[in-house]
Amino acid sequence: MSDVGSRLQQVRARIEVAAARAGRDPSQVVVVAVTKGHPPARVDEVLEAGLDQIGENRVQEARAKQPQVRRPATWRLIGPLQRNKVRWALELFDWLDAIDRWEVAADVSRRGAQAGKTVPVLIEVNAGGEVQKHGLAPEAVDAFFSRLGDLPGLRVQGLMTVAPLGEDPEAARPVFRRMRELRERLRDRWGLALPWLSMGMSHDFEVAVEEGANMVRLGTALLGPRPATPGR
Ligand SMILES: *Cc1c(COP(=O)(O)O)cnc(C)c1O
């Protein structure tokens, strides 16, 4: 078995234990393999290990890497999207998981509609309230959702967050809990299904699963440390 395969087994075991603690079904938790900083051959290893959701956080990096990946995958943009990259992002990615501004959402919708597509997206929320983080402020989310009818070319399928990075994964728990509550409230208020709650990374995914994440984004836990990339 590849190193990715054995790490994936450990990750699945940890998800099972975390899900059991919360009385949840572990099969409901989707693992997105975050392959940023890793070469295309590593992406193929991830796909061979049985995962099919690939997360990249930069449009250019995905553009360079994708033609060299041999196996089919669902590609997800998990990093911020700039307006001048929307066209490329729609060619390269199946899902846009970090939509955090109305202007970008509007561009995605317009281009999606032009291409006859309804682009599935997640809305990134800055639930930890850190100034340097991307994401809509929790107070801004309702105003955003109130105008979704103006965006026929995209379909909001859930929420995503990056919790504050700390020594202790427990520190992320209130942030994850706030996200779960926000999703429930948005579902009730706007009558949307919002099936996905993408939260939890290598250092805090167990806490995220306990708090209701059904999509975790894992790089280091699956692939080991990212190789140093020259020029970044
Ligand atoms: C890099 C990244 C991850 C994965 O980080 P790890 O700590 O390596 O698991 C998850 N989500 C986002 C948005 C990232 O940029």
Side-chain angles (χ1 to χ4, degrees), residues 158-181:
L159 304 178
M160 177 271 210
T161 200
V162 178
L165 185 68
E167 288 279 295
D168 180 7
E170 279 299 323
R173 187 180 297 279
V175 171
F176 294 147
R177 187 166 296 166
R178 213 170 296 148
M179 287 294 289
R180 184 185 68 211
E181 291 164 359

PDB file of all heavy atoms in Angstrom, residues 158-181:
ATOM      1  N   GLY A 158     -23.620  24.869   0.279  1.00  0.00           N
ATOM      2  CA  GLY A 158     -23.189  24.723   1.659  1.00  0.00           C
ATOM      3  C   GLY A 158     -22.233  25.815   2.063  1.00  0.00           C
ATOM      4  O   GLY A 158     -22.086  26.833   1.368  1.00  0.00           O
ATOM      5  N   LEU A 159     -21.613  25.591   3.212  1.00  0.00           N
ATOM      6  CA  LEU A 159     -20.714  26.578   3.812  1.00  0.00           C
ATOM      7  C   LEU A 159     -19.349  25.955   4.056  1.00  0.00           C
ATOM      8  O   LEU A 159     -19.205  24.748   4.209  1.00  0.00           O
ATOM      9  CB  LEU A 159     -21.277  27.058   5.155  1.00  0.00           C
ATOM     10  CG  LEU A 159     -22.690  27.644   5.175  1.00  0.00           C
ATOM     11  CD1 LEU A 159     -23.075  28.003   6.605  1.00  0.00           C
ATOM     12  CD2 LEU A 159     -22.801  28.858   4.260  1.00  0.00           C
ATOM     13  N   MET A 160     -18.364  26.834   4.102  1.00  0.00           N
ATOM     14  CA  MET A 160     -16.988  26.396   4.347  1.00  0.00           C
ATOM     15  C   MET A 160     -16.342  27.391   5.299  1.00  0.00           C
ATOM     16  O   MET A 160     -16.673  28.578   5.287  1.00  0.00           O
ATOM     17  CB  MET A 160     -16.278  26.387   2.987  1.00  0.00           C
ATOM     18  CG  MET A 160     -14.821  26.029   2.999  1.00  0.00           C
ATOM     19  SD  MET A 160     -13.735  27.470   3.216  1.00  0.00           S
ATOM     20  CE  MET A 160     -12.300  26.918   2.333  1.00  0.00           C
ATOM     21  N   THR A 161     -15.440  26.901   6.142  1.00  0.00           N
ATOM     22  CA  THR A 161     -14.654  27.827   6.964  1.00  0.00           C
ATOM     23  C   THR A 161     -13.272  27.268   7.229  1.00  0.00           C
ATOM     24  O   THR A 161     -13.046  26.054   7.137  1.00  0.00           O
ATOM     25  CB  THR A 161     -15.355  28.150   8.313  1.00  0.00           C
ATOM     26  OG1 THR A 161     -14.815  29.361   8.842  1.00  0.00           O
ATOM     27  CG2 THR A 161     -15.173  27.039   9.339  1.00  0.00           C
ATOM     28  N   VAL A 162     -12.362  28.181   7.502  1.00  0.00           N
ATOM     29  CA  VAL A 162     -11.026  27.831   7.989  1.00  0.00           C
ATOM     30  C   VAL A 162     -10.955  28.385   9.413  1.00  0.00           C
ATOM     31  O   VAL A 162     -11.037  29.590   9.613  1.00  0.00           O
ATOM     32  CB  VAL A 162      -9.925  28.477   7.117  1.00  0.00           C
ATOM     33  CG1 VAL A 162      -8.539  28.137   7.670  1.00  0.00           C
ATOM     34  CG2 VAL A 162     -10.053  28.016   5.668  1.00  0.00           C
ATOM     35  N   ALA A 163     -10.830  27.487  10.385  1.00  0.00           N
ATOM     36  CA  ALA A 163     -10.803  27.926  11.781  1.00  0.00           C
ATOM     37  C   ALA A 163      -9.442  28.536  12.098  1.00  0.00           C
ATOM     38  O   ALA A 163      -8.452  28.237  11.438  1.00  0.00           O
ATOM     39  CB  ALA A 163     -11.087  26.738  12.707  1.00  0.00           C
ATOM     40  N   PRO A 164      -9.388  29.380  13.122  1.00  0.00           N
ATOM     41  CA  PRO A 164      -8.089  29.917  13.541  1.00  0.00           C
ATOM     42  C   PRO A 164      -7.118  28.775  13.834  1.00  0.00           C
ATOM     43  O   PRO A 164      -7.500  27.760  14.415  1.00  0.00           O
ATOM     44  CB  PRO A 164      -8.425  30.682  14.826  1.00  0.00           C
ATOM     45  CG  PRO A 164      -9.882  31.006  14.723  1.00  0.00           C
ATOM     46  CD  PRO A 164     -10.497  29.880  13.938  1.00  0.00           C
ATOM     47  N   LEU A 165      -5.902  28.959  13.399  1.00  0.00           N
ATOM     48  CA  LEU A 165      -4.879  27.929  13.567  1.00  0.00           C
ATOM     49  C   LEU A 165      -4.246  28.096  14.942  1.00  0.00           C
ATOM     50  O   LEU A 165      -3.655  29.128  15.237  1.00  0.00           O
ATOM     51  CB  LEU A 165      -3.816  28.111  12.479  1.00  0.00           C
ATOM     52  CG  LEU A 165      -2.717  27.070  12.415  1.00  0.00           C
ATOM     53  CD1 LEU A 165      -3.275  25.730  11.964  1.00  0.00           C
ATOM     54  CD2 LEU A 165      -1.629  27.532  11.456  1.00  0.00           C
ATOM     55  N   GLY A 166      -4.414  27.093  15.783  1.00  0.00           N
ATOM     56  CA  GLY A 166      -3.822  27.210  17.117  1.00  0.00           C
ATOM     57  C   GLY A 166      -3.185  25.902  17.531  1.00  0.00           C
ATOM     58  O   GLY A 166      -3.353  24.886  16.873  1.00  0.00           O
ATOM     59  N   GLU A 167      -2.467  25.943  18.618  1.00  0.00           N
ATOM     60  CA  GLU A 167      -1.848  24.754  19.174  1.00  0.00           C
ATOM     61  C   GLU A 167      -2.906  23.695  19.492  1.00  0.00           C
ATOM     62  O   GLU A 167      -2.734  22.520  19.212  1.00  0.00           O
ATOM     63  CB  GLU A 167      -1.152  25.113  20.486  1.00  0.00           C
ATOM     64  CG  GLU A 167       0.113  25.928  20.314  1.00  0.00           C
ATOM     65  CD  GLU A 167       1.277  25.034  19.951  1.00  0.00           C
ATOM     66  OE1 GLU A 167       1.661  24.203  20.794  1.00  0.00           O
ATOM     67  OE2 GLU A 167       1.786  25.171  18.816  1.00  0.00           O
ATOM     68  N   ASP A 168      -4.001  24.190  20.076  1.00  0.00           N
ATOM     69  CA  ASP A 168      -4.995  23.275  20.619  1.00  0.00           C
ATOM     70  C   ASP A 168      -6.215  23.230  19.697  1.00  0.00           C
ATOM     71  O   ASP A 168      -6.920  24.215  19.551  1.00  0.00           O
ATOM     72  CB  ASP A 168      -5.397  23.788  22.014  1.00  0.00           C
ATOM     73  CG  ASP A 168      -6.437  22.878  22.656  1.00  0.00           C
ATOM     74  OD1 ASP A 168      -6.722  21.795  22.080  1.00  0.00           O
ATOM     75  OD2 ASP A 168      -6.969  23.254  23.715  1.00  0.00           O
ATOM     76  N   PRO A 169      -6.470  22.073  19.081  1.00  0.00           N
ATOM     77  CA  PRO A 169      -7.624  21.981  18.183  1.00  0.00           C
ATOM     78  C   PRO A 169      -8.950  22.293  18.875  1.00  0.00           C
ATOM     79  O   PRO A 169      -9.911  22.705  18.222  1.00  0.00           O
ATOM     80  CB  PRO A 169      -7.592  20.527  17.683  1.00  0.00           C
ATOM     81  CG  PRO A 169      -6.545  19.826  18.449  1.00  0.00           C
ATOM     82  CD  PRO A 169      -5.703  20.833  19.143  1.00  0.00           C
ATOM     83  N   GLU A 170      -8.993  22.120  20.192  1.00  0.00           N
ATOM     84  CA  GLU A 170     -10.231  22.437  20.929  1.00  0.00           C
ATOM     85  C   GLU A 170     -10.617  23.903  20.767  1.00  0.00           C
ATOM     86  O   GLU A 170     -11.797  24.257  20.856  1.00  0.00           O
ATOM     87  CB  GLU A 170     -10.076  22.119  22.414  1.00  0.00           C
ATOM     88  CG  GLU A 170     -10.265  20.662  22.768  1.00  0.00           C
ATOM     89  CD  GLU A 170     -11.670  20.147  22.419  1.00  0.00           C
ATOM     90  OE1 GLU A 170     -12.647  20.909  22.583  1.00  0.00           O
ATOM     91  OE2 GLU A 170     -11.772  18.993  21.978  1.00  0.00           O
ATOM     92  N   ALA A 171      -9.628  24.752  20.544  1.00  0.00           N
ATOM     93  CA  ALA A 171      -9.915  26.185  20.395  1.00  0.00           C
ATOM     94  C   ALA A 171     -10.806  26.440  19.184  1.00  0.00           C
ATOM     95  O   ALA A 171     -11.492  27.457  19.114  1.00  0.00           O
ATOM     96  CB  ALA A 171      -8.608  26.971  20.278  1.00  0.00           C
ATOM     97  N   ALA A 172     -10.787  25.522  18.213  1.00  0.00           N
ATOM     98  CA  ALA A 172     -11.605  25.698  17.004  1.00  0.00           C
ATOM     99  C   ALA A 172     -13.060  25.282  17.234  1.00  0.00           C
ATOM    100  O   ALA A 172     -13.927  25.596  16.417  1.00  0.00           O
ATOM    101  CB  ALA A 172     -11.009  24.878  15.854  1.00  0.00           C
ATOM    102  N   ARG A 173     -13.330  24.592  18.336  1.00  0.00           N
ATOM    103  CA  ARG A 173     -14.673  24.024  18.517  1.00  0.00           C
ATOM    104  C   ARG A 173     -15.791  25.074  18.451  1.00  0.00           C
ATOM    105  O   ARG A 173     -16.783  24.868  17.741  1.00  0.00           O
ATOM    106  CB  ARG A 173     -14.747  23.222  19.829  1.00  0.00           C
ATOM    107  CG  ARG A 173     -16.058  22.463  19.989  1.00  0.00           C
ATOM    108  CD  ARG A 173     -16.122  21.673  21.293  1.00  0.00           C
ATOM    109  NE  ARG A 173     -15.119  20.622  21.384  1.00  0.00           N
ATOM    110  CZ  ARG A 173     -15.219  19.416  20.817  1.00  0.00           C
ATOM    111  NH1 ARG A 173     -16.281  19.093  20.118  1.00  0.00           N
ATOM    112  NH2 ARG A 173     -14.254  18.527  20.968  1.00  0.00           N
ATOM    113  N   PRO A 174     -15.646  26.200  19.175  1.00  0.00           N
ATOM    114  CA  PRO A 174     -16.744  27.194  19.103  1.00  0.00           C
ATOM    115  C   PRO A 174     -16.975  27.716  17.683  1.00  0.00           C
ATOM    116  O   PRO A 174     -18.121  28.025  17.314  1.00  0.00           O
ATOM    117  CB  PRO A 174     -16.279  28.326  20.022  1.00  0.00           C
ATOM    118  CG  PRO A 174     -15.085  27.836  20.756  1.00  0.00           C
ATOM    119  CD  PRO A 174     -14.599  26.583  20.111  1.00  0.00           C
ATOM    120  N   VAL A 175     -15.907  27.801  16.901  1.00  0.00           N
ATOM    121  CA  VAL A 175     -16.029  28.277  15.516  1.00  0.00           C
ATOM    122  C   VAL A 175     -16.808  27.250  14.691  1.00  0.00           C
ATOM    123  O   VAL A 175     -17.731  27.591  13.941  1.00  0.00           O
ATOM    124  CB  VAL A 175     -14.625  28.522  14.917  1.00  0.00           C
ATOM    125  CG1 VAL A 175     -14.710  28.804  13.427  1.00  0.00           C
ATOM    126  CG2 VAL A 175     -13.932  29.659  15.655  1.00  0.00           C
ATOM    127  N   PHE A 176     -16.459  25.991  14.854  1.00  0.00           N
ATOM    128  CA  PHE A 176     -17.168  24.936  14.121  1.00  0.00           C
ATOM    129  C   PHE A 176     -18.632  24.874  14.541  1.00  0.00           C
ATOM    130  O   PHE A 176     -19.538  24.698  13.729  1.00  0.00           O
ATOM    131  CB  PHE A 176     -16.507  23.576  14.356  1.00  0.00           C
ATOM    132  CG  PHE A 176     -15.112  23.472  13.778  1.00  0.00           C
ATOM    133  CD1 PHE A 176     -14.140  22.706  14.406  1.00  0.00           C
ATOM    134  CD2 PHE A 176     -14.780  24.115  12.597  1.00  0.00           C
ATOM    135  CE1 PHE A 176     -12.864  22.590  13.870  1.00  0.00           C
ATOM    136  CE2 PHE A 176     -13.505  24.009  12.051  1.00  0.00           C
ATOM    137  CZ  PHE A 176     -12.546  23.238  12.683  1.00  0.00           C
ATOM    138  N   ARG A 177     -18.863  25.049  15.827  1.00  0.00           N
ATOM    139  CA  ARG A 177     -20.244  24.999  16.322  1.00  0.00           C
ATOM    140  C   ARG A 177     -21.060  26.156  15.746  1.00  0.00           C
ATOM    141  O   ARG A 177     -22.202  25.978  15.318  1.00  0.00           O
ATOM    142  CB  ARG A 177     -20.229  25.064  17.857  1.00  0.00           C
ATOM    143  CG  ARG A 177     -21.582  24.854  18.474  1.00  0.00           C
ATOM    144  CD  ARG A 177     -21.470  24.592  19.950  1.00  0.00           C
ATOM    145  NE  ARG A 177     -20.744  23.341  20.226  1.00  0.00           N
ATOM    146  CZ  ARG A 177     -20.269  23.005  21.430  1.00  0.00           C
ATOM    147  NH1 ARG A 177     -20.410  23.820  22.465  1.00  0.00           N
ATOM    148  NH2 ARG A 177     -19.647  21.852  21.604  1.00  0.00           N
ATOM    149  N   ARG A 178     -20.454  27.334  15.711  1.00  0.00           N
ATOM    150  CA  ARG A 178     -21.123  28.507  15.135  1.00  0.00           C
ATOM    151  C   ARG A 178     -21.501  28.243  13.674  1.00  0.00           C
ATOM    152  O   ARG A 178     -22.559  28.635  13.204  1.00  0.00           O
ATOM    153  CB  ARG A 178     -20.166  29.702  15.217  1.00  0.00           C
ATOM    154  CG  ARG A 178     -20.811  31.039  15.416  1.00  0.00           C
ATOM    155  CD  ARG A 178     -19.751  32.112  15.731  1.00  0.00           C
ATOM    156  NE  ARG A 178     -19.055  31.854  16.979  1.00  0.00           N
ATOM    157  CZ  ARG A 178     -17.763  32.172  17.228  1.00  0.00           C
ATOM    158  NH1 ARG A 178     -17.019  32.733  16.301  1.00  0.00           N
ATOM    159  NH2 ARG A 178     -17.222  31.905  18.392  1.00  0.00           N
ATOM    160  N   MET A 179     -20.609  27.568  12.952  1.00  0.00           N
ATOM    161  CA  MET A 179     -20.890  27.257  11.544  1.00  0.00           C
ATOM    162  C   MET A 179     -22.083  26.321  11.419  1.00  0.00           C
ATOM    163  O   MET A 179     -22.936  26.482  10.547  1.00  0.00           O
ATOM    164  CB  MET A 179     -19.666  26.603  10.899  1.00  0.00           C
ATOM    165  CG  MET A 179     -18.517  27.541  10.641  1.00  0.00           C
ATOM    166  SD  MET A 179     -18.915  28.808   9.401  1.00  0.00           S
ATOM    167  CE  MET A 179     -18.977  27.824   7.913  1.00  0.00           C
ATOM    168  N   ARG A 180     -22.123  25.313  12.295  1.00  0.00           N
ATOM    169  CA  ARG A 180     -23.243  24.369  12.238  1.00  0.00           C
ATOM    170  C   ARG A 180     -24.557  25.104  12.500  1.00  0.00           C
ATOM    171  O   ARG A 180     -25.558  24.899  11.811  1.00  0.00           O
ATOM    172  CB  ARG A 180     -23.040  23.259  13.269  1.00  0.00           C
ATOM    173  CG  ARG A 180     -24.113  22.199  13.188  1.00  0.00           C
ATOM    174  CD  ARG A 180     -23.979  21.178  14.287  1.00  0.00           C
ATOM    175  NE  ARG A 180     -24.275  21.748  15.581  1.00  0.00           N
ATOM    176  CZ  ARG A 180     -23.714  21.358  16.729  1.00  0.00           C
ATOM    177  NH1 ARG A 180     -22.797  20.418  16.744  1.00  0.00           N
ATOM    178  NH2 ARG A 180     -24.047  21.929  17.867  1.00  0.00           N
ATOM    179  N   GLU A 181     -24.531  25.996  13.499  1.00  0.00           N
ATOM    180  CA  GLU A 181     -25.748  26.738  13.843  1.00  0.00           C
ATOM    181  C   GLU A 181     -26.137  27.700  12.718  1.00  0.00           C
ATOM    182  O   GLU A 181     -27.317  27.847  12.403  1.00  0.00           O
ATOM    183  CB  GLU A 181     -25.541  27.496  15.162  1.00  0.00           C
ATOM    184  CG  GLU A 181     -25.450  26.550  16.347  1.00  0.00           C
ATOM    185  CD  GLU A 181     -24.873  27.189  17.607  1.00  0.00           C
ATOM    186  OE1 GLU A 181     -24.511  28.396  17.583  1.00  0.00           O
ATOM    187  OE2 GLU A 181     -24.764  26.476  18.620  1.00  0.00           O
TER     188      GLU A 181
END
